[in-house]
């Protein structure tokens, strides 16, 4: 298994949980140079790929009338451009029958205030899932998307004041059909299924959102 991330401390922490069988490579999904180097490392150390999970992403919020070009470019560089060229760089290494999983979001079908750019970048990934699935069909490679809703990954607790986090989580719970936040393990289970078990599915989107996009 090979994992990537932008910060060495986060990678080291992940390695501590995954053990000696994992390889960690520092790589920025917004950098085509880093993506190219990553593909070279994968080829050198593994030779081929059985599953590719494209999960790197960034988020930012601003009302439509105050969104800047810099914010727009930064979100699309990581969420959309980075995902596209990551798949392109690693596609030659994908084995026949392998699976690619892109990470979109419940917001690709919802209109939420102050998330116009983020939502658009994730909607682009949903479209990309279909077109890449079609283009990789001759190679017998499947491409699907996982679409998380409100997942308690811990990022809110690390980046916002405790009172703000509490209010946000209460709002997410109260507005979700299942009345709770999702867990990272629940997203991981969906990704594993799409990557390995969904052998007659391609171009699809698997919501992991407590019903938020469906009910």
């Amino acid at each position: 298994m090979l994992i990537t991330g932008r910060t060495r401390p986060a990678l080291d922490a992940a390695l501590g949980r995954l053990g000696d069988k994992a390889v960690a490579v520092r790589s920025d999904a917004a950098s085509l140079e880093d993506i190219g180097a990553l593909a070279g490392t994968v080829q050198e150390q593994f030779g081929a790929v059985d599953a590719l999970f494209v999960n790197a992403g960034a988020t930012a919020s601003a009302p439509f009338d105050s969104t800047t070009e810099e914010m727009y470019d930064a979100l699309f560089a990581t969420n959309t451009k980075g995902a596209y060229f990551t798949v392109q760089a690693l596609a030659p290494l994908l084995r026949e029958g392998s699976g690619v999983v892109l990470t979109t979001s419940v917001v690709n079908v919802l209109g939420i205030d102050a998330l116009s750019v983020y939502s658009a970048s994730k909607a682009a990934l949903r479209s990309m899932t279909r077109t890449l699935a079609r283009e990789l069909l001759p190679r017998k490679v499947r491409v699907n998307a996982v679409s998380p809703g409100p997942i308690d990954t811990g990022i809110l607790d690390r980046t916002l004041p405790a009172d703000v986090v509490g209010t946000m989580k209460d709002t997410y719970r109260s507005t979700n059909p299942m009345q709770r936040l999702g867990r990272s393990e629940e997203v991981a289970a969906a990704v594993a299924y799409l990557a390995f078990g969904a052998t007659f599915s391609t171009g699809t989107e698997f919501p992991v959102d407590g019903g938020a996009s469906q009910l």
Side-chain angles (χ1 to χ4, degrees):
M1 175 189 295
L2 183 147
I3 61 173
T4 69
R6 288 186 296 184
T7 61
R8 194 74 240 177
L11 285 172
D12 290 341
L15 280 179
R17 298 180 64 183
L18 294 171
D20 296 337
K21 293 184 179 180
V23 175
V25 176
R26 200 215 68 80
S27 182
D28 186 345
S31 166
L32 296 191
E33 182 179 355
D34 280 9
I35 291 171
L38 172 65
T41 299
V42 171
Q43 183 170 23
E44 178 183 337
Q45 298 204 24
F46 296 91
V49 175
D50 295 305
L52 172 59
F53 179 33
V54 183
N55 186 52
T59 185
S61 63
F64 170 68
D65 57 5
S66 60
T67 295
T68 65
E69 181 181 11
E70 290 75 19
M71 174 183 160
Y72 184 101
D73 288 345
L75 286 179
F76 268 84
T78 297
N79 294 354
T80 308
K81 180 180 177 180
Y84 185 92
F85 286 102
T86 295
V87 178
Q88 185 191 72
L90 292 170
L93 304 179
L94 292 168
R95 297 184 196 272
E96 183 177 301
S98 62
V100 176
V101 183
L102 304 177
T103 304
T104 179
S105 168
V106 63
V107 300
N108 72 13
V109 294
L110 300 175
I112 299 179
D113 288 342
L115 289 180
S116 58
V117 178
Y118 176 74
S119 300
S121 72
K122 291 298 186 176
L125 280 179
R126 178 62 186 101
S127 176
M128 192 184 300
T129 301
R130 293 189 175 95
T131 51
L132 295 184
R134 174 64 69 180
E135 293 215 29
L136 293 176
L137 268 178
R139 304 247 339 263
K140 298 183 180 178
V141 172
R142 297 169 295 103
V143 182
N144 294 289
V146 65
S147 179
I151 307 298
D152 192 3
T153 64
I155 190 170
L156 294 179
D157 303 90
R158 294 191 298 270
T159 58
L160 295 173
D163 58 332
V164 175
V165 172
T167 299
M168 290 180 67
K169 288 185 177 182
D170 287 344
T171 299
Y172 290 151
R173 291 188 190 98
S174 65
T175 57
N176 188 272
M178 293 185 72
Q179 297 288 291
R180 68 175 179 88
L181 301 178
R183 303 188 308 274
S184 298
E185 294 83 356
E186 291 173 307
V187 178
V191 171
Y193 171 69
L194 291 172
F196 297 106
T199 54
F200 198 50
S201 298
T202 194
T204 66
E205 177 182 15
F206 191 142
V208 185
D209 61 7
S213 64
Q214 309 297 316
L215 304 179

